[in-house]
């Protein structure tokens, strides 16, 4: 489509939208989550692996979704303060502790985040979530995108708190870098194009203040 095309099946009063690499999701007026696009890894959450060119219901998330975020081939949503992720988990991005992903959100609740989750960001093959003003990340860490001060390409299913930042209110995760907003804006991970925003192109393994925006 070369011009804006209305999406059928989501009604009016849409509350939010998220775009992944090969899929898209929206929150309806009742905060039900619907997704469409590629479903090779089950990232539509429809309980199958069938591509859909129209919105389909995400199983178990038909109302009350507070936040959502889409990664490369996985998705996450918060409902009732609990975090659910599904789709590809080869690097641990789903956070369920399982070596494979799932096409059913309610089967893949993140054990450490069953209440009080305030925000979530799904990146390329990693995920970060905010709880009680603190942010924890898990999944692929080949460019330091987990913010734990090291690099590990194997990935991890275990959420680890990002050091040095608190009072976090939101998080955004890209392909291989992450940013958090709290008492200042901080980014970490891949920086080959200057995406950390600190005036350099040096990889940052720990949260680094964005120049001119950290006060």
């Amino acid at each position: 489509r070369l011009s804006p095309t209305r999406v059928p099946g989501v009604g009016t009063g849409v509350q939010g939208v998220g775009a992944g690499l090969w899929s898209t999701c929206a929150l309806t007026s009742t905060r039900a989550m619907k997704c469409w696009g590629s479903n090779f890894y089950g990232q539509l959450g429809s309980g199958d692996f069938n591509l859909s060119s129209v919105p389909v219901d995400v199983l178990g998330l038909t109302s009350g979704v507070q936040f959502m975020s889409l990664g490369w081939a996985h998705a996450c949503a918060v409902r009732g303060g609990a975090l659910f992720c599904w789709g590809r988990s080869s690097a641990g991005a789903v956070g369920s502790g399982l070596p494979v992903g799932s096409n059913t959100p309610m089967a893949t609740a993140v054990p450490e985040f069953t209440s009080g989750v305030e925000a979530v960001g799904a990146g390329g093959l990693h995920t970060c979530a905010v709880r009680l003003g603190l942010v924890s990340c898990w999944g692929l860490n080949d460019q330091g995108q987990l913010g734990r001060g090291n690099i590990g390409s194997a990935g991890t299913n275990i959420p680890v708190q990002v050091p040095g930042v608190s009072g976090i209110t939101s998080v955004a995760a890209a392909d291989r870098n992450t940013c958090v907003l709290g008492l200042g804006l901080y980014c970490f991970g891949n920086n080959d194009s200057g995406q950390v925003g600190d005036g350099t192109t040096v990889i940052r393994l720990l949260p680094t203040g964005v120049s001119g925006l950290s006060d």
Side-chain angles (χ1 to χ4, degrees):
R1 299 297 183 183
L2 304 183
S3 60
T5 303
R6 184 158 188 166
V7 178
V10 294
T12 59
V14 173
Q15 299 293 299
V17 63
L21 182 59
W22 295 311
S23 60
T24 309
C25 297
L27 296 182
T28 70
S29 59
T30 59
R31 305 197 76 85
M33 189 171 177
K34 292 177 177 284
C35 298
W36 58 98
S38 173
N39 198 28
F40 186 80
Y41 294 100
Q43 61 263 46
L44 300 189
S46 54
D48 55 39
F49 296 95
N50 300 325
L51 175 150
S52 179
S53 60
V54 296
V56 294
D57 290 330
V58 177
L59 296 182
L61 297 177
T62 55
S63 65
V65 176
Q66 297 162 276
F67 317 101
M68 68 171 179
S69 183
L70 276 65
W72 174 39
H74 74 291
C76 296
V78 178
R79 192 186 72 172
L83 176 62
F84 302 89
C85 297
W86 60 96
R88 185 178 184 183
S89 192
S90 59
V94 168
S96 63
L98 302 175
V100 295
S102 171
N103 58 16
T104 306
M106 306 309 283
T108 51
V110 180
E112 292 82 356
F113 294 91
T114 57
S115 65
V117 178
E118 299 156 343
V120 61
L125 287 172
H126 74 290
T127 306
C128 298
V130 178
R131 184 174 182 270
L132 301 176
L134 301 174
V135 60
S136 297
C137 299
W138 57 95
L140 187 66
N141 194 40
D142 63 337
Q143 292 290 315
Q145 58 264 51
L146 302 189
R148 59 185 62 179
N150 65 352
I151 291 178
S153 59
T156 175
N157 282 306
I158 302 173
V160 176
Q161 184 179 320
V162 177
V165 290
S166 60
I168 302 302
T169 57
S170 64
V171 57
D175 182 24
R176 282 177 168 81
N177 67 294
T178 307
C179 295
V180 297
L181 177 64
L183 303 175
L185 178 62
Y186 300 86
C187 297
F188 43 93
N190 186 24
N191 195 28
D192 59 0
S193 297
Q195 55 266 56
V196 167
D198 66 341
T200 78
T201 55
V202 178
I203 189 172
R204 297 300 183 184
L205 305 183
L206 291 168
T208 303
V210 176
S211 299
L213 296 176
S214 298
D215 297 332

